[in-house]
Structure formats: structure tokens, C-alpha cells
Amino acid sequence: MKDSKSDTIDFGYKQVARDEKQGLVANVFNSVAKKYDIMNDVMSFGIHRLWKRYTIDCSGVRKGMKVLDIAGGTGDLTAQFSRRVGPTGEVVLADINQAMLDVGRDKLRNMGIVDNVDYVQANAEELPFESDRFDIITIAFGLRNVTDKQKALESMFRVLKPGGRLLVLEFSKPVPPLLSQAYDFYSFNVLPKMGQLVAGDAESYQYLAESIRMHPDQETLKGMMQTAGYEQVTYHNLTGGIVALHRGFKF
């Protein structure tokens, strides 16, 4: 779970060479990119749309703002931000995976979202933007796939404007014990079968279930954000803690 500087790191429940994880994660998302949206709906019974809407509502986004949507994938958050920042604002959809970026670009263009959105292939650990550029940064369901999460949080802090905020929407640790048990059963017995049925890929969804369990819990991630320099860091559990939204400010 921790981003130590050892030679190995978790890839789901496996330990792999640190310099291999990025490529292995890329293979997962190359495999699932075209079915990503439908699998999100199937896996979460559509609830992911409510989680994302809550994130938008907590962002404080206004017309004219500059927003960075990291690991933006197929563009759900970007689409909403684009509408809210208006023609004087800017939204950058960034993703390390070109296949996901391509799906997102096609989807948004088909929705008529063109003028205020840019697409950048970028590694969250080394964001290719000038310092103090963005009013809002979001990363939704992407941080758990990053090799060095602490480095990524620091990179986001650098490109965030003073007064800006980071929102991290991510799977977390369910709080009620019965919910946790039911969630474990669903994740490891049902989810891979759904992946095989809908996307023809059980293995990638097995990894996704494992990666959720290896991700830092709510309090640990809060501490990591504070270490990176964020202030007034809070989190809000959604759906009993299956997902948590962390928010921190740069002052």
C-alpha cells in the first residue's frame, strides 16, 4: 500500500518491479477502455454518477476557472466542468493511457463539447504544466493505480493555484462490518464474472478489485495529502465508505 522506495510495489495483490507497474496498469486500461463506461454502470449499478455529481458540487467550480481532471478517462467529470466553466474557462482532461484518452475525446466531441477542453497524455507523478496554474484539480478512481501516490499528490500541489483545491474521489474502506463483508464477496466473486461477460476480460477486473484493497484507507490518504502540503484536508464517506471524497486546499 505504501509508496516506499523499495524495488517492488503492489500490483493488486502481487508484488512487481517498481518500474514495471506503469506498463502493467496500462495493459489493464488498454483492455477495458472501450467498455469502461458500460462496466462502470454495471459494476456500481449507476451509483458512480451520483458520486461524480457530488464531487462536482463540492468543487466550487465557477465560470472562467481552470480545471485539471487527472486520470479523466472517458470524460464524465470533464463534461460537467466544461459546461460550468463556460467559454472563458478551461478544462484539461489528462490521462496516462492513450486508449482511455482517445475514448474520452471521441465521447466528448460527440456530445458537442469542443471549445474549452484540451487533452493531454500525462503521468500524475510528473505533471507537464507550469506551477500555480489550476483553480481545481480532480482525480477520480485513478490515484490507486499510480505507482508513487505521494509524488503524484506533490505534483498536483505544485500546479494548483494558491487558494485552489484538490478533490480525490476513490474507492476506500467500507465502515459497517456487514457492508464490508458483502462488498468483499461482490468484488471477488461477482465483479470478475461481470468483467468476463461484458468486457471479455475477467483478469483486469480481478486486478481492479485487488487494487482497491491495496489503496490507502481514509485516514492514511488524509495524512498523505497533509504531508504533500494541503491544508484543511477533509473526507466524506459515500455509500458507507465504499467510496470516499477527500478534499484539500493550497494556501
Side-chain angles (χ1 to χ4, degrees), residues 12 107-108 135 137 199 210 246 251:
K107 175 181 168 182
L108 266 58
D135 299 287
I137 298 177
E210 293 175 2
H246 283 69
F251 294 123

Side-chain angles (χ1 to χ4, degrees), residues 84-144:
R84 297 200 186 196
V85 301
T88 60
E90 174 193 17
V91 184
V92 176
L93 194 167
D95 203 294
I96 195 170
N97 186 276
Q98 188 62 52
M100 293 292 287
L101 208 57
D102 290 343
V103 171
R105 181 189 291 112
D106 290 345
K107 175 181 168 182
L108 266 58
R109 286 179 176 173
N110 287 338
M111 294 168 65
I113 298 172
V114 178
D115 293 339
N116 61 357
V117 176
D118 292 318
Y119 302 86
V120 177
Q121 187 173 12
N123 185 338
E125 297 173 25
E126 299 176 354
L127 292 168
F129 307 107
E130 66 271 21
S131 298
D132 304 332
R133 174 172 172 179
F134 295 100
D135 299 287
I136 299 165
I137 298 177
T138 57
I139 179 166
F141 306 115
L143 187 61
R144 73 181 187 281

Side-chain angles (χ1 to χ4, degrees), residues 8-9 16 41 82 84 95 125 135 143 150 180 194 203 218 225 230 236:
T8 62
I9 195 167
V16 300
D41 282 330
S82 171
R84 297 200 186 196
D95 203 294
E125 297 173 25
D135 299 287
L143 187 61
Q150 191 66 50
S180 182
M194 283 185 178
E203 187 175 346
Q218 288 92 323
M225 290 176 65
Y230 298 93
H236 185 80

Side-chain angles (χ1 to χ4, degrees), residues 125-215:
E125 297 173 25
E126 299 176 354
L127 292 168
F129 307 107
E130 66 271 21
S131 298
D132 304 332
R133 174 172 172 179
F134 295 100
D135 299 287
I136 299 165
I137 298 177
T138 57
I139 179 166
F141 306 115
L143 187 61
R144 73 181 187 281
N145 297 310
V146 174
T147 302
D148 192 330
K149 298 173 182 62
Q150 191 66 50
K151 187 177 180 182
L153 291 169
E154 292 166 2
S155 181
M156 296 175 214
F157 187 83
R158 179 186 64 80
V159 302
L160 195 61
K161 287 181 182 178
R165 68 187 75 184
L166 167 69
L167 296 102
V168 180
L169 181 67
E170 187 55 88
F171 291 108
S172 200
K173 301 294 183 273
V175 178
L178 287 177
L179 177 61
S180 182
Q181 293 170 21
Y183 184 51
D184 280 345
F185 179 84
Y186 170 77
S187 297
F188 293 104
N189 294 278
V190 180
L191 184 56
K193 291 183 175 64
M194 283 185 178
Q196 183 62 45
L197 183 65
V198 177
D201 185 352
E203 187 175 346
S204 291
Y205 287 92
Q206 178 75 25
Y207 158 74
L208 292 175
E210 293 175 2
S211 71
I212 291 167
R213 301 315 186 280
M214 299 303 291
H215 185 67

